[in-house]
Amino acid sequence: MIYVQRDPEGRLLRVEPAPFAGHTEVLTADHAEVQQWFADDVVENSLRQLKQSDLDMIRVLEDLIDVLTTKGVLSITDLPAGAQAKLLNRSSARKALGGLSNLIEDDVEHRLL
């Protein structure tokens, strides 16, 4: 059994596997609205994971570009003007943080563990 709470228009507000204060109805787990509720939750979690992955990949790409330019394999001027500007802006922002950059790296390490 699944316990739900609806708003005045009949839309689901809350769905839980156990009774809770304020639940207004009990549905079966295979009820279409319950299935849709949990499907939406899965999609939302997947989108959140992809967004975090995008942020992590940005840092990987920045580091890769830094390594390639340091080794002379790539020159910043080899990149399109828009990419150059974005990389320089991010580099300036990171330098402005100064000692705080270690906190950012520590946070990334903690998420990987």
Side-chain angles (χ1 to χ4, degrees), residues 2-58:
I2 303 294
Y3 300 85
V4 301
Q5 180 179 19
R6 294 184 183 273
D7 68 12
E9 287 80 36
R11 293 182 299 247
L12 293 178
L13 289 176
R14 183 175 173 188
V15 177
E16 299 288 340
F20 60 90
H23 80 270
T24 56
E25 192 176 343
V26 178
L27 300 173
T28 60
D30 63 349
H31 189 277
E33 286 179 293
V34 171
Q35 292 294 312
Q36 184 62 46
W37 176 275
F38 288 114
D40 290 346
D41 196 38
V42 168
V43 169
E44 186 178 317
N45 286 335
S46 295
L47 289 172
R48 194 175 310 120
Q49 287 175 335
L50 281 173
K51 183 176 180 179
Q52 184 58 51
S53 175
D54 287 349
L55 294 173
D56 294 341
M57 284 304 298
I58 289 169

Side-chain angles (χ1 to χ4, degrees), residues 37-98:
W37 176 275
F38 288 114
D40 290 346
D41 196 38
V42 168
V43 169
E44 186 178 317
N45 286 335
S46 295
L47 289 172
R48 194 175 310 120
Q49 287 175 335
L50 281 173
K51 183 176 180 179
Q52 184 58 51
S53 175
D54 287 349
L55 294 173
D56 294 341
M57 284 304 298
I58 289 169
R59 183 59 193 258
V60 169
L61 289 173
E62 285 181 82
D63 291 345
L64 175 63
I65 291 168
D66 186 51
V67 167
L68 293 174
T69 55
T70 300
K71 290 188 173 201
V73 175
L74 177 74
S75 172
I76 191 81
T77 57
D78 293 337
L79 300 171
Q84 291 178 38
K86 289 173 185 168
L87 285 168
L88 292 173
N89 284 340
R90 288 189 59 84
S91 176
S92 296
R94 218 183 267 132
K95 285 179 185 172
L97 289 174

